[in-house]
Amino acid sequence: MKEVRCERCDNIIGMGCACPPDGSVPKAHPEERRVRQEWRRFPGNAILIKKSGKAHVPGACDHMTEDEVRPPKWGWILDPPPGDWGRISEGSPAIATGGNAQLRATRRCMTCMDALGH
C-alpha cells in the first residue's frame, strides 16, 4: 500500500497526520477553545506571514483576526507547496506571494503549531 502524505503537515496520513480530512484547520480542545472566527479571504491551508517573520495559519490562533491581515504588515501564500509549513526555518524561509511579497517567514507561531498538532 502506498504511503500518502498530508499536503498540510507532510506527515503520512493515518500515521502522524492529525489534520482534518476536509482541509480545515484542526480544532482546539474544547476547554482551551475561544470563539473561533470564520475566515473568508484566506483558505485553511494558506500561510500568513507577519512583518516580524513569523508564520501563522488562518484561524489556528486567537491573537489576530482576518481584518488585521493586510499589507504592508502582512504577506501570504494562498496555495503553499505540500509540506511548506513544516519546513519553515532560517534555512528554508516561506516567501510571501501575495500581500507584501517582500516578507519572509523563518519561524512558525507556537499557538498555530499546537492547534495543528505539531
Side-chain angles (χ1 to χ4, degrees):
M1 187 166 128
K2 185 176 185 243
E3 293 178 346
V4 179
R5 293 200 173 266
C6 173
E7 289 185 9
R8 165 165 267 167
C9 69
D10 205 38
N11 287 327
I12 297 169
I13 294 174
M15 296 178 63
C17 172
C19 298
D22 65 1
S24 64
V25 175
K27 308 287 189 266
H29 298 290
E31 65 274 8
E32 299 171 5
R33 224 177 140 178
R34 295 186 185 175
V35 175
R36 185 181 143 108
Q37 193 180 50
E38 184 179 327
W39 287 62
R40 301 165 312 278
R41 293 185 356 235
F42 299 98
N45 68 327
I47 296 175
L48 308 175
I49 303 170
K50 196 169 184 178
K51 195 171 191 172
S52 65
K54 190 177 286 186
H56 296 268
V57 174
C61 57
D62 60 3
H63 51 261
M64 62 179 200
T65 66
E66 183 175 22
D67 292 336
E68 294 175 59
V69 181
R70 302 209 182 276
K73 292 183 180 180
W74 290 87
W76 48 81
I77 306 169
L78 293 181
D79 189 23
D84 206 28
W85 171 260
R87 288 189 293 272
I88 294 172
S89 66
E90 288 284 339
S92 183
I95 301 168
T97 57
N100 182 346
Q102 302 297 310
L103 298 181
R104 302 160 58 95
T106 56
R107 60 196 193 286
R108 296 173 285 171
C109 167
M110 295 301 290
T111 306
C112 290
M113 287 176 57
D114 288 346
L116 296 172
H118 301 160

